[in-house]
C-alpha cells in the first residue's frame, strides 16, 4: 500500500519514467518561470527543516506529487537560488538548458566510466571534448591528448589542484629522494584559493612550507615575480626544495591575474611545477579579446578552469589539462586484478581512473559536449560578453555615486567596491560595509558577498547568472543606494 495514491513506482519502467519525468521537467520549468519570486538568499534559520519533516523515512511509498508538494513548501524556502537573476554572490555556478539536458542524459545512461572498457564512449567523448575546449582556449599542443598530455574532467578545482600537486610532489621526490618530503615548498599568493592549502594538507606536505606570498594594491593583488624569486632563493639557501607554484588567473577575491610569463621565468630554471588556476576566468579566455590573460600558459605544467562556473555547464565539471599525463598516472594509478582488461593492458586506451582521486566517475563530458554543440563557441562568447558588459554598467553606476569607491580594477564580470565612511568617522568603513551587506542581503531581493583586501572589508558583485539582465543589475544598485542612504543617516 502507498500513502500518497497512484500506482506503485517500479525501480525502472520506461513508461513510468516518461510520465514522472515529464512531471519533474514541468516542475523545474515552473521553478525557472517563477524564480524571481523567491528571496534569492534563503532567509530560513538553522534547523528549520527538521521541524517540517518527519523523523523517519516512510514505510510505504508516497507519490511524486506529494514529494513535489513538499519540495515547493518545505525545501524551496531553504534554497539559496544560485540561478536567480538577482544572484551576484561568490562566483556564478551556471545552469543552462544544454547543461541540464546533458545532466539528464548522464543520469539516464547512468554508467560508471572508470576505465575505457567500462564505457568506451564516456572516455573517448571526454578526450575529444577536452581537446575541443583546449583548441577553443588556444592552449599549446602539449596539453592535447594527441601529445604527451591531455585533459580530464574533475569534480572541482579543489580536486584538480590536489591531483596535480600530488603528481608534482612524486615527480620531484623521484629525483631528490622520498626523504625530502618534509622539505618541499609550495608557493602561491595570499590571494590564492584556500583549496591549495587543503591540497597541501591532504598531500602530507609540511604546512609551514606552503608559502602564501603577500600581495597588495601596487600589483592589483597579483603575485610579484620578484617576491616569488626572493622567496625561492631564500628557501634554497636554507636547504629546502621548491617544487610547486599555483598561479591564479582571476583570483576569488578580486579577479587579480598573476603574470604567467614572468612567473614562468622564475619557475622554469628552478624546476618548479607551474599550475594555473583559472577556475572562474578561464571561461572568458575563449573570447579573443580576453585570451591574453592566459598568455604564458604555454610554460605551465597544468591548467584548470571550472566549466561549471561561467561556461553554462551545470555543476560539476572542472576541466584540467596537464602536459605530462604520465606524471598524473604514476601518482594515481592502481591495477587490481578485478579491473584488468585487454585494452588497458595493451596500453592503447585512456583509463581516467588513473587521472583522478575516486575510481568511479560520471559521464560528465556529455553535458560539456551538449553545451558546446547547442550553443557553439560564438554563443558561449556572447554569454561571457553580455555578463562583462553588465559588470561594466554596474561599475559605471558605482563610479557616479561619490559615496562609493571601486577598490580594484574590474577585469571580468566582478566589481569590488565599498561605501566610503563619512569624514571624521571612527570606523574605517569595515563595520559600515558589513552592515550594508547585511541590510542588502536581508531584503531577499539581491545576494552579494564580501571579501577583505589590505585589511578593508569590500563588497563584491559578480555578474554571471544566465537570467541576469540590465534591469536586475539596476535594481541591485538601487537597493545598495537606498540601504547606504539609510545607514549613513543613522550614523
Ligand atoms: N580557485 C578559484 C580561483 C576559485 O574562485 C574557486 C571557487 O570559487 C576555487 C578554486 C575552488 O573551486 P571548487 O569549488 O571547484 O573547488
Amino acid at each position: 500500500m502507498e500513502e500518497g495514491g497512484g500506482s506503485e513506482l517500479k525501480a525502472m519502467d520506461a513508461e513510468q519514467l516518461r510520465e514522472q519525468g515529464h512531471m519533474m521537467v514541468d516542475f523545474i520549468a515552473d521553478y525557472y518561470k517563477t524564480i524571481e519570486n523567491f528571496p534569492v538568499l534563503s532567509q530560513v534559520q538553522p534547523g528549520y527543516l527538521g521541524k517540517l519533516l518527519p523523523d523517519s523515512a516512510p514505510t510505504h511509498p508516497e507519490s511524486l506529487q506529494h514529494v513535489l508538494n513538499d519540495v515547493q513548501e518545505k525545501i524551496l524556502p531553504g534554497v539559496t537560488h544560485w540561478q536567480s537573476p538577482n544572484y551576484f554572490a561568490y562566483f556564478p555556478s551556471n545552469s543552462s538548458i544544454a547543461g541540464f539536458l546533458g545532466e539528464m542524459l548522464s543520469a539516464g545512461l547512468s554508467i560508471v566510466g572508470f576505465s575505457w572498457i567500462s564505457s568506451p564512449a564516456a572516455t573517448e567523448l571526454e578526450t575529444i571534448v577536452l581537446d575541443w575546449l583546449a583548441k577553443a582556449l588556444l592552449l599549446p599542443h602539449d596539453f592535447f591528448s594527441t601529445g604527451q598530455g591531455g585533459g580530464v574532467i574533475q569534480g572541482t578545482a579543489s580536486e584538480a589542484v590536489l591531483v596535480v600537486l600530488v603528481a608534482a610532489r612524486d615527480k620531484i621526490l623521484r629525483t631528490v629522494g622520498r626523504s625530502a618530503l618534509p622539505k618541499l615548498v609550495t608557493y602561491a599568493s595570499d590571494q590564492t584559493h584556500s583549496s591549495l592549502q587543503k591540497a597541501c594538507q591532504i598531500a602530507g606536505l609540511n604546512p609551514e612550507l606552503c608559502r602564501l606570498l603577500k600581495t597588495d594594491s601596487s600589483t592589483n593583488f597579483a603575485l610579484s615575480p620578484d617576491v616569488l624569486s626572493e622567496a625561492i632563493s631564500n628557501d634554497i639557501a636554507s636547504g629546502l626544495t621548491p617544487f610547486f607554484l599555483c598561479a591564479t588567473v582571476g583570483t576569488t577575491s578580486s579577479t587579480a591575474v598573476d603574470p604567467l610569463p614572468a612567473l614562468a621565468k622564475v619557475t622554469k630554471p628552478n624546476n618548479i611545477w607551474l599550475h594555473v588556476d583559472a577556475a572562474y576566468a578561464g571561461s572568458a579566455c575563449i573570447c579573443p579579446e580576453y585570451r591574453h590573460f592566459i598568455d604564458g600558459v604555454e610554460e605551465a605544467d597544468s591548467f584548470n578552469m571550472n566549466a561549471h562556473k561561467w561556461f553554462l555547464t551545470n555543476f560539476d565539471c572542472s576541466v584540467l589539462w596537464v602536459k605530462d599525463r604520465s606524471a598524473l598516472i604514476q601518482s594515481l594509478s592502481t591495477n587490481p586484478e578485478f579491473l584488468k582488461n585487454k585494452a588497458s593492458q595493451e596500453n592503447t586506451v585512456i583509463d581516467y581512473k588513473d587521472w583522478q582521486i575516486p575510481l568511479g566517475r560520471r559521464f560528465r563530458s556529455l553535458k560539456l559536449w551538449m553545451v558546446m554543440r547547442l550553443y557553439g563557441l560564438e554563443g558561449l562568447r556572447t554569454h561571457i560578453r553580455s555578463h562583462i558588459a553588465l559588470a561594466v554598467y554596474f561599475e559605471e553606476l558605482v563610479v557616479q555615486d561619490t559615496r562609493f569607491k571601486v577598490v580594484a580594477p574590474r577585469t571580468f564580470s566582478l566589481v569590488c567596491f565599498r561605501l566610503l565612511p563619512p569624514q571624521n568617522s571612527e570606523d574605517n568603513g569595515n563595520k559600515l560595509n558589513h552592515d550594508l551587506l547585511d541590510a542588502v542581503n536581508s531584503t531577499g531581493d539581491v545576494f552579494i558577498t564580501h571579501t577583505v583586501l589590505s585589511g578593508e572589508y569590500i563588497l563584491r558583485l559578480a555578474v554571471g547568472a544566465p537570467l541576469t539582465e540590465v534591469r536586475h543589475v539596476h535594481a541591485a544598485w538601487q537597493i545598495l543606494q537606498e540601504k547606504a542612504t539609510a545607514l549613513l543617516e543613522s550614523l
Side-chain angles (χ1 to χ4, degrees), residues 91 156-158 193 195 248 250 252 277 279 306 308-309:
F91 279 139
T156 60
S158 306
H193 192 271
S195 51
T248 308
T252 314
D277 172 359
N306 278 354
H308 61 242
K309 275 191 161 58

Side-chain angles (χ1 to χ4, degrees), residues 413-479:
S413 70
L414 172 73
V415 182
C416 293
F417 62 103
R418 74 193 312 249
L419 179 60
L420 296 170
Q423 276 180 350
N424 310 325
S425 160
E426 283 172 22
D427 176 24
N428 61 1
N430 284 1
K431 182 174 179 313
L432 181 67
N433 280 279
H434 183 276
D435 291 349
L436 178 58
L437 184 75
D438 271 356
V440 162
N441 285 342
S442 64
T443 62
D445 293 331
V446 60
F447 181 26
I448 61 174
T449 49
H450 80 282
T451 190
V452 172
L453 290 173
S454 297
E456 287 194 336
Y457 192 97
I458 305 294
L459 305 184
R460 297 167 75 264
L461 183 138
V463 182
L467 288 171
T468 301
E469 298 170 17
V470 70
R471 67 188 167 93
H472 302 106
V473 175
H474 191 252
W477 176 238
Q478 279 190 320
I479 295 168

Side-chain angles (χ1 to χ4, degrees), residues 90-91 155-161 191-196 248-253 277-281 304 306 308-309 315 318 460:
Y90 312 110
F91 279 139
T156 60
S158 306
E159 288 162 69
V161 75
Q191 300 298 309
T192 302
H193 192 271
S194 55
S195 51
L196 176 70
T248 308
V249 173
T251 58
T252 314
S253 277
D277 172 359
Y280 154 76
N304 171 232
N306 278 354
H308 61 242
K309 275 191 161 58
F315 190 84
S318 182
R460 297 167 75 264

Side-chain angles (χ1 to χ4, degrees), residues 225-245:
D226 292 340
V227 170
L228 174 69
S229 182
E230 194 186 335
I232 291 173
S233 301
N234 290 341
D235 285 333
I236 294 174
S238 312
L240 300 172
T241 309
F243 87 108
F244 191 87
L245 169 67

Side-chain angles (χ1 to χ4, degrees), residues 72-116:
Q72 192 73 41
E73 286 161 26
K74 298 168 185 168
I75 301 293
L76 288 185
V79 167
T80 289
H81 300 275
W82 285 61
Q83 305 311 323
S84 163
N86 299 315
Y87 176 95
F88 300 101
Y90 312 110
F91 279 139
S93 185
N94 281 180
S95 168
S96 69
I97 298 173
F100 173 79
L101 295 177
E103 268 294 296
M104 205 171 170
L105 187 54
S106 171
L109 300 181
S110 274
I111 59 92
V112 185
F114 42 76
S115 43
W116 179 86

Side-chain angles (χ1 to χ4, degrees), residues 192-205:
T192 302
H193 192 271
S194 55
S195 51
L196 176 70
Q197 266 174 293
K198 189 183 268 197
C200 288
Q201 283 163 227
I202 300 172
L205 297 166

